[in-house]
Amino acid sequence: MSQYANILVTGASGGLGKQILYQLVKEGHRPIALVRKSSNTSYIDSLGLEKRYADLRDQKAIRESVEGIDAIIHTAAIVKFHGNGFTQQTGINVMGALTLFRAAQSAGVKRFLQLSSIVAVGAVHRKTSRGALVDESTEFNLRHLQIPYIMTKRAAEDELLQAAQSGTTELVIVCPSINIAPSRTGDDRTKSRKTLGRAVLPRIANLLNLVDIRDSVRGMVAALYRGRAGERYILCGDNIPITDLIRMASEIAGTHPLLVPVPKWLVMSAAHGAKLMHTLTGGSKLRFYPDLVRLADFDWAYSSEKARRELGFTTRPLKESLTDLLTNNFCGTWQKPE
């Protein structure tokens, strides 16, 4: 019998939220899904799970949603790296998380698992710390970038840790790296061949860390049960140069792009041009922007030694995950169960 009879999962209609529901059900739990009234809940309904409705900005609805709950896995957030979304992201990523945590404290919730991100921990500056790995003790060094998502995810951690100093609700924070997961269509082979099939692609030496969503979600559930209160756990996979990642993915996809170096000033100029064009034309989604280029000053290289030691966290080889993804054989997910 689980020590947490009633587990509430926020953001349950999102891709990550649904994978968490899938894993919990697979392990014998009957989680409760917290969603907005406008959310698509077809997958949740297919599992026959209880749904509760609340917006993170609605304090009354939040208080009602945590009644009778033993543990919370909080995944709901706005993920946006560019634009003027600081106010909006602060309202959801910081104040929403804090509102939920305080409601959990008042309701006697035993444990609160905050889904954060590796960007809230920091990164390796290529000029001063090249070759190092970021772990849970690394000093945060990304505040100067003023990127809304990074700032608000870090602020949420700080505020929650402060709030957890009083009351009995235990806080555990998990910071996954970039999740390898199927797209909404599930046809990632076609999508990858279109991208990797280009004649020329940029050669990028920065290190990147990716983790299979099947592994990171197992790590999250393990942290819910075995993580130490007040601690942060990095859930990451292999560190790999982006150039090597492109080569590995191209080999799997059967493509042969030519990788060529591109000066940073040229990339930044193109990013400013893309942002200007987006502003002038009112495009729906900006995919290439200056803040993204600034991230190239860092290696995104991490260590999960603490999670491996304390949670029993394990990951499969990166090539195995990419092969599953790019051959449309990503089994063991809510989209394609085992």
Side-chain angles (χ1 to χ4, degrees), residues 117-125 131-142 150 175-178 207-211 232-240 295 298-306 308 313:
S117 169
I118 53 169
V119 298
V121 184
V124 179
H125 200 287
L133 294 180
V134 173
D135 63 20
E136 291 81 358
S137 65
T138 298
E139 182 177 354
F140 183 60
N141 61 347
L142 301 176
I150 295 177
C175 301
S177 61
I178 300 171
L207 289 173
L208 198 65
N209 189 287
L210 300 99
V211 63
R232 173 201 284 135
Y233 295 92
I234 293 174
L235 305 176
C236 69
D238 296 341
N239 298 301
I240 184 172
L295 299 181
F298 298 88
D299 278 331
W300 305 87
Y302 297 84
S303 169
S304 278
E305 178 56 34
K306 180 179 177 181
R308 295 179 188 279
F313 177 63

Side-chain angles (χ1 to χ4, degrees), residues 7-310:
I7 301 173
L8 183 73
V9 179
T10 74
S13 63
L16 180 59
K18 285 186 275 195
Q19 184 64 25
I20 291 172
L21 295 179
Y22 169 84
Q23 186 65 33
L24 287 171
V25 170
K26 182 180 177 181
E27 294 186 17
H29 304 284
R30 299 297 296 171
I32 299 168
L34 183 67
V35 295
R36 291 176 297 174
K37 290 185 178 180
S38 59
S39 300
N40 181 341
T41 63
S42 57
Y43 177 70
I44 300 169
D45 295 334
S46 73
L47 297 175
L49 300 177
E50 178 186 344
K51 300 190 297 289
R52 298 187 181 183
Y53 297 95
D55 187 295
L56 288 176
R57 294 164 292 193
D58 187 335
Q59 295 187 26
K60 181 176 182 295
I62 288 296
R63 287 195 298 269
E64 293 173 350
S65 71
V66 298
E67 292 179 359
I69 295 298
D70 299 303
I72 296 173
I73 300 178
H74 180 46
T75 77
I78 297 175
V79 182
K80 187 177 180 182
F81 277 78
H82 69 280
N84 300 315
F86 182 71
T87 300
Q88 182 187 29
Q89 292 194 58
T90 298
I92 298 298
N93 298 354
V94 184
M95 300 311 299
L98 192 57
T99 296
L100 181 65
F101 185 78
R102 286 174 173 163
Q105 288 179 312
S106 298
V109 174
K110 298 174 184 176
R111 179 156 281 215
F112 188 103
L113 184 75
Q114 165 72 1
L115 177 66
S116 187
S117 169
I118 53 169
V119 298
V121 184
V124 179
H125 200 287
R126 290 174 61 79
K127 287 186 177 180
T128 60
S129 305
R130 193 166 185 175
L133 294 180
V134 173
D135 63 20
E136 291 81 358
S137 65
T138 298
E139 182 177 354
F140 183 60
N141 61 347
L142 301 176
R143 203 178 307 276
H144 68 285
L145 293 176
Q146 296 292 294
I147 295 176
Y149 180 68
I150 295 177
M151 294 173 66
T152 56
K153 293 304 282 187
R154 178 66 186 200
E157 288 194 15
D158 293 340
E159 293 293 335
L160 289 173
L161 286 168
Q162 179 67 30
Q165 292 182 10
S166 60
T168 59
T169 301
E170 296 179 340
L171 171 69
V172 179
I173 299 171
V174 290
C175 301
S177 61
I178 300 171
N179 276 311
I180 301 174
S183 63
R184 292 179 182 178
T185 66
D187 186 11
D188 293 287
R189 177 169 177 77
T190 299
K191 185 178 180 181
S192 66
R193 287 182 63 85
K194 181 178 180 181
T195 301
L196 299 171
R198 296 171 181 170
V200 177
L201 288 174
R203 189 170 72 198
I204 305 171
N206 300 68
L207 289 173
L208 198 65
N209 189 287
L210 300 99
V211 63
D212 192 303
I213 193 172
R214 296 169 292 191
D215 298 330
S216 67
V217 166
R218 283 190 298 102
M220 293 172 202
V221 175
L224 179 68
Y225 282 93
R226 300 201 293 274
R228 287 186 290 131
E231 294 292 325
R232 173 201 284 135
Y233 295 92
I234 293 174
L235 305 176
C236 69
D238 296 341
N239 298 301
I240 184 172
I242 297 176
T243 296
D244 290 352
L245 175 64
I246 293 174
R247 287 173 176 152
M248 182 184 294
S250 299
E251 178 184 348
I252 296 168
T255 60
H256 304 86
L258 175 65
L259 303 182
V260 299
V262 181
K264 183 180 176 181
W265 66 264
L266 181 59
V267 177
M268 182 62 80
S269 296
H272 281 291
K275 183 177 179 181
L276 176 61
M277 185 61 66
H278 178 268
T279 301
L280 294 175
T281 60
S284 60
K285 190 171 184 179
L286 181 62
R287 298 180 182 276
F288 185 50
Y289 41 90
D291 284 345
L292 186 64
V293 180
R294 293 188 183 98
L295 299 181
D297 290 335
F298 298 88
D299 278 331
W300 305 87
Y302 297 84
S303 169
S304 278
E305 178 56 34
K306 180 179 177 181
R308 295 179 188 279
R309 183 176 64 251
E310 297 187 16

